[in-house]
Amino acid sequence: MKTNSLRLQLLAWVVLPLAGLATINLWTSQRNALATADLVTDRMLVGSARAIAEQVAMADGVLDATIPPAAIEMFDTGDRDSVYYRVETAGGRLLTGYPDLPQAPRHASVEASYRDHMLRLLTLSHAVIGAGGDSPITVTVGITLSGHDAMVKRLWFSAFVQQLALVAIAGVFVLLGLRRGLAPLISLRDAVRSPSRSDLDPVDVPGAQSEIRPLIEALNAYMERVRAQMGAQRRFIANAAHQLRTPLALLSTQASYALRETATDARQEALVALQASSGKLARLAEQLLTLSRAEPGSRRPRADRIDLTEAARHVLETQAPAAIARKIDLGLEETGPVAVIGDGTMLREMIVNLVDNALRYSTAGGSVTVKLAAIDSEAVLTVADDGPGIPAEERDHVFERFYRIAGSTEEGSGLGLAIVREVVENAGGRVTLGDGAAGGLVVEVRLPLA
């Protein structure tokens, strides 16, 4: 199982670049160590060659070359290097040393192979007083590279230890810093997980950094929404239970009455009332289910292309028998297809509730008119009736669940407009209530056109 650790990621982002820089520094340190060893060796070669050259002098008319011990001993660094030398006159006559020892360019060091060893060589010219044509003499000194290489290794290893210690110390301090810096996140986790938290109360982490504060605020805002949603669900369940209790009790009473009646007419009347009550209860249950489906997050979002004109025509056909029974003129005014994007089932249920409310509250012999038009990139649906309307001070409340206007004589559950608002808002639209020109109520729904 792969572990995603913020602490390890932050440590890696700090230590890995630092290790990369240390690697580059080690490479440059190796080059610097090599340059330092070259410089020290060259200085020793110059010193040795100069010490040998200064000992060359004329003795009894003969050019004599004596090798001073100091010229050789200065290379004794404990690395068992071999020293080779060669002294010759200007004419090329060998005075002392190794005749086959290679020469280096004057006053410059080179590396060359000699007797299966790599040597660092340096050649120095020196004038000898009284030597005549043999002056100036040439002194070449060479030394094997054991001490040179050992010096490079010591210098590089010292730099390596320093860089490694630097990365290790930086890693320790980063871990300590992360432990202290991530402490508010750990406190936030513990506060959320705390078994003493029974409610979705806001959490607070004292000393939290400014980068963590937005996370805490977002978490508190999310818990506030959850708390509000849970409260709404509790209220909905309580209201639904209250609304279902009365019709269920009525059904039970009517069924008991029908069972007791022996007269055919009385029993028939009781059964008709029982059937009407069961229909109202079924409608209430259907509205409760619709409202539950209309709530945000209750079902997978859909993006159907719906023609509101066709949907309204279908709804009016299904509601026509109820309109005919009450002699209500139910009409549709439209100029063509009006397409929107949304949940087709819920949008059709919205129209059903609008028309059902209009028919329920219209007077017998009145009229209900549904209009559809496309205005300024919006689909506009209006449902107008000639009923008693809704007072202005009540219009903000009628969209609440189970809200009934005081003194209303029409039977209803108070869910129709609540369903309408949920569906419209989920589709990105808005719904408003207004007065009709000749009285009654006008419900206007505006939705974005497809």
Side-chain angles (χ1 to χ4, degrees), residues 10-50:
L10 292 176
L11 181 64
W13 275 107
V14 174
V15 173
L16 290 182
L18 186 59
L21 292 175
T23 302
I24 296 174
N25 198 18
L26 286 175
W27 178 74
T28 58
S29 297
Q30 195 271 342
R31 294 179 64 86
N32 292 335
L34 182 61
T36 301
D38 289 346
L39 179 62
V40 171
T41 304
D42 290 347
R43 292 290 175 87
M44 293 173 64
L45 289 172
V46 170
S48 178
R50 195 175 300 279

Side-chain angles (χ1 to χ4, degrees), residues 40 78 109 124 156 163 184 224 261 288 310 330 378 406 410 445:
V40 171
S109 61
L124 178 70
W156 183 85
Q163 297 299 323
E224 176 64 27
E261 286 296 330
L288 287 173
E310 181 62 29
L330 179 61
E378 286 185 322
E410 294 296 330
V445 174

Side-chain angles (χ1 to χ4, degrees), residues 154-217:
R154 284 194 297 269
L155 292 174
W156 183 85
F157 183 74
S158 176
F160 172 78
V161 171
Q162 293 176 2
Q163 297 299 323
L164 183 62
L166 177 64
V167 173
I169 293 172
V172 171
F173 277 103
V174 169
L175 282 175
L176 293 176
L178 288 176
R179 183 175 182 180
R180 184 176 180 84
L182 295 178
L185 281 178
I186 304 301
S187 300
L188 176 61
R189 180 201 65 186
D190 295 339
V192 173
R193 286 183 175 181
S194 175
S196 61
R197 289 180 54 83
S198 56
D199 298 324
L200 295 174
D201 297 326
V203 297
D204 186 29
V205 180
Q209 299 92 334
S210 58
E211 291 83 2
I212 299 178
R213 280 291 171 189
L215 173 62
I216 298 175
E217 293 170 1

Side-chain angles (χ1 to χ4, degrees), residues 215-235:
L215 173 62
I216 298 175
E217 293 170 1
L219 179 62
N220 287 334
Y222 176 75
M223 290 193 295
E224 176 64 27
R225 292 196 300 270
V226 173
R227 186 164 58 248
Q229 188 174 18
M230 291 176 63
Q233 289 178 348
R234 285 194 295 266
R235 290 192 299 273

Side-chain angles (χ1 to χ4, degrees), residues 79-274:
D79 296 302
R80 297 183 179 180
D81 277 313
S82 298
V83 182
Y84 302 90
Y85 54 88
R86 174 181 175 182
V87 182
E88 62 183 8
T89 64
R93 180 169 60 88
L94 179 68
L95 295 178
T96 184
Y98 299 85
D100 56 345
L101 182 67
Q103 280 192 340
R106 299 296 172 90
H107 304 289
S109 61
V110 295
E111 291 185 3
S113 177
Y114 180 68
R115 296 187 179 181
D116 298 329
H117 295 290
M118 286 298 297
L119 301 183
R120 191 167 186 87
L121 299 163
L122 184 137
T123 300
L124 178 70
S125 295
H126 182 74
V128 179
I129 299 175
D134 291 333
S135 181
I137 63 170
T138 301
V139 179
T140 300
V141 179
I143 185 172
T144 55
L145 299 178
S146 298
H148 175 277
D149 295 342
M151 184 183 303
V152 172
K153 290 179 181 179
R154 284 194 297 269
L155 292 174
W156 183 85
F157 183 74
S158 176
F160 172 78
V161 171
Q162 293 176 2
Q163 297 299 323
L164 183 62
L166 177 64
V167 173
I169 293 172
V172 171
F173 277 103
V174 169
L175 282 175
L176 293 176
L178 288 176
R179 183 175 182 180
R180 184 176 180 84
L182 295 178
L185 281 178
I186 304 301
S187 300
L188 176 61
R189 180 201 65 186
D190 295 339
V192 173
R193 286 183 175 181
S194 175
S196 61
R197 289 180 54 83
S198 56
D199 298 324
L200 295 174
D201 297 326
V203 297
D204 186 29
V205 180
Q209 299 92 334
S210 58
E211 291 83 2
I212 299 178
R213 280 291 171 189
L215 173 62
I216 298 175
E217 293 170 1
L219 179 62
N220 287 334
Y222 176 75
M223 290 193 295
E224 176 64 27
R225 292 196 300 270
V226 173
R227 186 164 58 248
Q229 188 174 18
M230 291 176 63
Q233 289 178 348
R234 285 194 295 266
R235 290 192 299 273
F236 176 77
I237 293 172
N239 290 332
H242 176 73
Q243 293 293 325
L244 289 172
R245 185 183 305 159
T246 300
L248 286 174
L250 179 61
L251 281 176
S252 177
T253 301
Q254 290 173 335
S256 299
Y257 178 77
L259 288 174
R260 289 196 305 269
E261 286 296 330
T262 56
T264 303
D265 293 342
R267 176 175 292 182
Q268 181 67 22
E269 183 180 354
L271 290 175
V272 170
L274 182 62

Side-chain angles (χ1 to χ4, degrees), residues 52-74:
I52 293 173
E54 290 175 351
Q55 293 298 318
V56 177
M58 295 297 295
D60 299 329
V62 178
L63 193 61
D64 180 55
T66 302
I67 305 300
I72 305 301
E73 291 173 356
M74 69 172 59

